[in-house]
Amino acid sequence: AAEERHEHAHQHGVSKLRLAIDGSGFEMEIVSPGSDIVGFEHPAASAADRQAIAKATAVFREAGKLFAFPVGARCRLVSSKLEAPAGSRNDPKKHDEEKHGHDKHNDEKHHDAKDGKDDDHHSEFHGHYRYKCGNPEKLIHIDVKLFDRFPRAREIEVEAITPSGQFARELTRSSARLNF
């Protein structure tokens, strides 16, 4: 049953982005299949596999390499959490790390690692980012650079909650700007 649930959790070529904007802050969560990011989903079996995972992990760790915001919105990253497939360090399963800014205490509630399932056959990159914006009214779009960084990615299914309502969109390489 766990494997069946996981098969429906992701589709090759399809990442998922969830976004919630509230006041001057917002949170984003992106989940991408390992096959789209590094070209495989099996546990890292070689030095080349481990290097591919380490390079991809570095991109996910630096949210600025995945997302761009209007400069006038003055958005800054205050915390991030990353789960990457095995091989990005010497971890035999997954590696999980957090980077914090000023709001450390609220991230603890996001620390459940996929209900404890072992994802060796369908590994994912999972990033969670929290931002604060100095001028949130100028946050009118987000440019998603996942396609530029990872050519195997084909689409991103977006679910968003904004002050003006909820919506779902699909982003592709030719249409990678999420407008609000």
Side-chain angles (χ1 to χ4, degrees):
E3 185 158 69
E4 181 180 310
R5 273 195 315 269
H6 196 302
E7 280 185 34
H8 298 293
H10 77 249
Q11 195 177 7
H12 294 190
V14 180
S15 294
K16 302 217 182 273
L17 176 66
R18 291 179 190 88
L19 168 75
I21 299 174
D22 184 21
S24 66
F26 67 96
E27 293 189 42
M28 292 191 303
E29 178 181 49
I30 188 161
V31 179
S32 296
S35 63
D36 296 2
I37 304 303
V38 293
F40 58 88
E41 291 194 338
H42 58 76
S46 68
D49 288 354
R50 287 186 292 279
Q51 183 178 19
I53 291 171
K55 284 182 179 181
T57 298
V59 172
F60 272 81
R61 191 177 302 131
E62 290 186 44
K65 291 184 177 180
L66 290 177
F67 307 105
F69 313 102
V71 174
R74 294 189 5 233
C75 297
R76 64 178 173 79
L77 183 66
V78 293
S79 69
S80 65
K81 179 180 177 184
L82 172 66
E83 286 182 43
S88 54
R89 293 219 177 138
N90 293 325
D91 186 311
K93 292 198 180 186
K94 273 187 272 220
H95 133 201
D96 187 6
E97 67 175 45
E98 294 190 46
K99 173 184 176 184
H100 295 287
H102 296 100
D103 294 338
K104 293 180 185 182
H105 64 279
N106 289 330
D107 273 351
E108 292 173 15
K109 64 185 173 191
H110 299 291
H111 199 80
D112 54 48
K114 298 193 192 248
D115 304 319
K117 289 183 282 199
D118 184 358
D119 293 340
D120 284 343
H121 298 293
H122 292 283
S123 62
E124 298 175 328
F125 286 80
H126 184 159
H128 185 264
Y129 310 97
R130 186 177 317 156
Y131 288 85
K132 290 285 183 188
C133 300
N135 294 322
E137 68 281 358
K138 294 189 177 187
L139 181 63
I140 57 173
H141 69 264
I142 296 174
D143 290 321
V144 180
K145 301 188 281 185
L146 183 85
F147 303 107
D148 297 336
R149 298 290 179 178
F150 303 105
R152 290 179 191 91
R154 291 191 324 256
E155 72 180 62
I156 301 171
E157 294 176 352
V158 178
E159 295 176 5
I161 301 172
T162 70
S164 59
Q166 296 184 144
F167 64 86
R169 299 233 167 82
E170 185 177 287
L171 301 178
T172 62
R173 184 172 308 285
S174 62
S175 178
R177 175 170 280 184
L178 180 62
N179 292 304
F180 305 124

